[in-house]
Amino acid sequence: MAYYGISSNLVVYLTEKLHQGTVTSANNVTNWGGTIWLTPVLGAYLADAHLGRYWTFVIACFIYLSGMCLLTLSVSIRGLRPPHCVEKDVSKCPKASTLQLAVFFAALYTLTIGTGGTKPNISTIGADQFDDFHPKEKAQKLSFFNWWMFAIFFGTLFANTVLVYIQDNVGWTLGYGLPAAGLAISILVFLSGTPFYRHRVPGGSPFTRMAKVIVAAVRKSDRSVPTDPKELYELELEEYAKNGKFRIDSTPTLRFLNKACVKTGQKGEWILCSVTQVEETKQMLGMIPILVATVVPSTMIAQINTLFVKQGMTLDRKVGNFHIPPASLAGFVTISMLVCVVLYDRLFVPIMRRVTKNPRGVTLLQRMGIGMVFHIVIMTVASLVENHRLQVAKESGLVGGGQLPLSIFILLPQFLLMGTADSFLEVAKIEFFYDQAPENMKSLGTSYSMVSLGIGSFFSSFLLSTVAHITTRNGHKGWILNNLNDSHLDYYYAFFAILNFLNFILFMVVSKFYIYKAEVSDSMEVLEEELRTSTRRGSLQEE
């Protein structure tokens, strides 16, 4: 609720209160969103290497809360906001002062530090509460991320409806004060459950572990890898069993890294690594092509709180005497997602389970692929709707600006379809990166899904600025202007549809070569069997 209470309507505040133009306000939103989604890498590192997930989350929560309080003050104190302006052309309004911008953006970027520690760890803490070696809990874990996203989107729905309405019609002080109070309450709720949580001990820096493997492999690049994996260096079975860790068998993927565990007579952490350590590195590196293929869909998500909202500001928002805030249409993304997640978990999965014999119904990558197909459809629909909106602007003589005699609900299809896409792609993405990460690097793995959103937001800023610049060359009017009635967002959305199609082809290629890691519980069963065999052999030798 706190995050979406800010992000959903931020472009409106930047436009109407800080008097920023279309490209500047949209880019400020996506740059902030990009930072929000990239800082989880730092939070994941601190959790996995030093503080543990619980303490990283708790500390980050209080930083998050301080940012929310500062943000509320920045929109409440008269001297911290520019004077009111009624000009249709925001370029004619007085600009915000350096102090006003500094305080507002300092608050926003304090939130990025807070979310950096909360986003990668809270879902991971939740998933950690399920025991992979308990059949019932292992089965329940398959549905956890569906219901995790379901719960998140209840907060999102409140933000996109109630909070957005309050911000637009009552005031920004209450509109930002309520999510700040909600965040404080949620921290207390989380802390009250502390005695009941299962806590994971930090496993050391994941970046250092991976760096050791890469350096060791490079230093022994002239060595050949033995054909028998048993000749590679590995710790004793008892070492893993004693420390409650998981051993991973050698695989032929990314074979060059196997050189890190080739025995040469020399020892040292930067010269010789265990097979398990090498395989952990492979698992993290192997997910990167999938991460890259999810960047373009993440760029589409960035349009919900920027250009989609700006479109809504040009349309008729009246329903009787009620004025619909443009940003509240994002609530339909949430409603669509909530409905689709329930249908997916209760209807789609049981049906597909009988067909595919897969406990998840379809694989995680197949689920992501379905979501990507929806993104192609979304941007095609958005382009057609925008083309119709521009035609109405011409017919009504409102190309120069003004509200069109066209209901805001013409934008509804693209919002509903976005929620459907999220129920496939976004849920599968966070589950995939958590599930496929090594046990000691789960927070880092979870942060991959957020890195995708972060890069997507920055990519959105880059594309918007680049397209706006290129399309104004040689005296052309340009596709993206402050006056959307005289712009060509329909061309821009069509460009996005083509980009999504090309990205889907890329995703199909990288998915074909991806190899899922073995289930942890299966690996432990193999380890236990090998330990029993080893013990029996020792007993026979003694006899």
Side-chain angles (χ1 to χ4, degrees):
M1 183 185 72
Y3 167 68
Y4 286 101
I6 306 304
S7 64
S8 299
N9 217 20
L10 183 57
V11 72
V12 174
Y13 187 85
L14 294 176
T15 302
E16 295 186 350
K17 301 300 179 182
L18 296 187
H19 313 140
Q20 296 183 345
T22 298
V23 174
T24 302
S25 60
N27 282 350
N28 275 330
V29 172
T30 49
N31 288 339
W32 174 70
T35 309
I36 280 275
W37 294 111
L38 285 182
T39 51
V41 175
L42 176 61
Y45 165 75
L46 290 173
D48 285 341
H50 302 292
L51 300 177
R53 291 158 195 166
Y54 174 85
W55 283 111
T56 303
F57 178 78
V58 170
I59 293 169
C61 274
F62 286 101
I63 296 173
Y64 200 156
L65 183 59
S66 67
M68 287 297 301
C69 292
L70 181 59
L71 191 65
T72 305
L73 289 175
S74 73
V75 301
S76 305
I77 300 173
R78 182 174 297 178
L80 295 180
R81 61 180 191 270
H84 181 64
C85 178
V86 294
E87 293 282 351
K88 288 183 179 179
D89 186 354
V90 295
S91 63
K92 297 178 181 178
C93 293
K95 300 297 180 184
S97 69
T98 303
L99 175 63
Q100 291 164 346
L101 290 174
V103 173
F104 185 78
F105 282 100
L108 282 183
Y109 282 89
T110 299
L111 295 181
T112 67
I113 300 172
T115 55
T118 57
K119 287 187 180 297
N121 290 307
I122 184 60
S123 59
T124 312
I125 291 171
D128 285 346
Q129 305 313 304
F130 297 90
D131 187 349
D132 280 321
F133 309 106
H134 189 284
K136 184 178 179 180
E137 291 190 28
K138 183 178 179 181
Q140 290 172 333
K141 189 175 181 179
L142 296 178
S143 292
F144 169 72
F145 285 101
N146 286 333
W147 295 105
W148 165 254
M149 292 298 287
F150 185 86
I152 279 182
F153 273 82
F154 259 112
T156 308
L157 182 60
F158 182 82
N160 290 337
T161 52
V162 178
L163 288 182
V164 165
Y165 178 81
I166 290 172
Q167 290 165 2
D168 279 10
N169 296 280
V170 179
W172 293 90
T173 299
L174 184 61
Y176 283 173
L178 279 176
L183 179 62
I185 293 170
S186 74
I187 295 172
L188 294 175
V189 171
F190 176 82
L191 292 175
S192 69
T194 300
F196 308 103
Y197 299 142
R198 290 168 173 166
H199 298 272
R200 297 274 186 176
V201 177
S205 169
F207 296 115
T208 303
R209 287 175 64 81
M210 290 190 288
K212 288 175 180 177
V213 171
I214 295 169
V215 169
V218 170
R219 293 176 71 173
K220 292 186 285 187
S221 58
D222 59 334
R223 300 282 179 156
S224 59
V225 178
T227 54
D228 185 359
K230 292 182 179 179
E231 294 181 27
L232 298 173
Y233 173 72
E234 180 57 291
L235 300 178
E236 296 295 328
L237 295 173
E238 290 79 4
E239 188 71 20
Y240 289 104
K242 179 176 65 178
N243 295 322
K245 294 184 178 179
F246 309 99
R247 197 186 77 167
I248 309 173
D249 292 331
S250 181
T251 62
T253 58
L254 297 174
R255 186 174 173 80
F256 174 78
L257 294 179
N258 287 346
K259 294 177 182 288
C261 45
V262 172
K263 300 174 185 176
T264 61
Q266 294 179 296
K267 289 190 177 181
E269 293 182 335
W270 295 88
I271 298 175
L272 185 63
C273 302
S274 67
V275 169
T276 294
Q277 188 175 342
V278 170
E279 291 303 316
E280 287 176 343
T281 303
K282 287 182 182 181
Q283 288 171 5
M284 294 304 297
L285 295 178
M287 292 191 292
I288 290 177
I290 303 295
L291 186 156
V292 171
T294 61
V295 167
V296 169
S298 296
T299 303
M300 303 306 107
I301 292 173
Q303 309 315 306
I304 297 173
N305 296 328
T306 54
L307 295 182
F308 285 9
V309 174
K310 298 284 281 188
Q311 282 178 284
M313 293 171 70
T314 70
L315 299 170
D316 182 8
R317 291 171 269 154
K318 288 183 182 178
V319 178
N321 295 323
F322 182 76
H323 282 72
I324 300 173
S328 67
L329 280 191
F332 287 99
V333 176
T334 306
I335 293 170
S336 173
M337 203 259 190
L338 289 171
V339 172
C340 289
V341 164
V342 175
L343 291 176
Y344 184 91
D345 195 75
R346 296 304 182 193
L347 188 63
F348 182 82
V349 170
I351 292 172
M352 293 306 297
R353 193 179 286 156
R354 288 194 289 269
V355 175
T356 64
K357 309 303 179 186
N358 186 316
R360 286 190 171 92
V362 294
T363 67
L364 293 173
L365 290 178
Q366 286 170 342
R367 184 175 181 179
M368 290 166 67
I370 294 170
M372 290 186 182
V373 171
F374 271 106
H375 277 288
I376 300 171
V377 176
I378 290 165
M379 299 320 296
T380 303
V381 169
S383 178
L384 294 173
V385 169
E386 176 62 8
N387 181 265
H388 175 61
R389 191 189 70 82
L390 293 174
Q391 288 295 330
V392 172
K394 289 179 183 177
E395 293 167 3
S396 305
L398 294 170
V399 173
Q403 190 177 89
L404 304 181
L406 197 60
S407 171
I408 193 172
F409 289 112
I410 67 162
L411 301 178
L412 200 55
Q414 61 207 56
F415 282 94
L416 290 173
L417 286 169
M418 192 68 80
T420 306
D422 284 352
S423 69
F424 283 92
L425 178 55
E426 294 308 306
V427 177
K429 190 168 71 173
I430 191 171
E431 183 175 357
F432 173 82
F433 289 124
Y434 171 86
D435 185 75
Q436 294 298 295
E439 291 305 305
N440 295 325
M441 302 181 187
K442 290 294 187 187
S443 290
L444 182 60
T446 302
S447 74
Y448 271 25
S449 64
M450 295 157 197
V451 167
S452 164
L453 290 167
I455 297 174
S457 290
F458 284 120
F459 191 44
S460 176
S461 296
F462 168 76
L463 288 176
L464 188 64
S465 297
T466 303
V467 170
H469 175 68
I470 290 175
T471 55
T472 53
R473 285 180 177 174
N474 302 320
H476 291 289
K477 185 172 60 178
W479 288 4
I480 307 157
L481 309 173
N482 288 342
N483 175 18
L484 290 192
N485 291 354
D486 198 27
S487 299
H488 264 299
L489 280 185
D490 54 340
Y491 295 169
Y492 191 53
Y493 290 159
F495 163 68
F496 274 162
I498 295 169
L499 190 62
N500 273 290
F501 176 74
L502 296 175
N503 183 75
F504 178 70
I505 295 174
L506 170 66
F507 177 76
M508 294 292 287
V509 172
V510 297
S511 295
K512 184 177 180 181
F513 292 99
Y514 185 80
I515 299 174
Y516 289 91
K517 74 167 193 174
E519 292 280 352
V520 168
S521 51
D522 296 339
S523 300
M524 287 302 292
E525 288 170 5
V526 171
L527 173 59
E528 290 170 359
E529 179 59 33
E530 289 182 355
L531 278 171
R532 284 195 292 269
T533 303
S534 176
T535 303
R536 284 198 296 270
R537 285 174 181 168
S539 299
L540 289 172
Q541 287 174 357
E542 289 177 3
E543 291 175 3

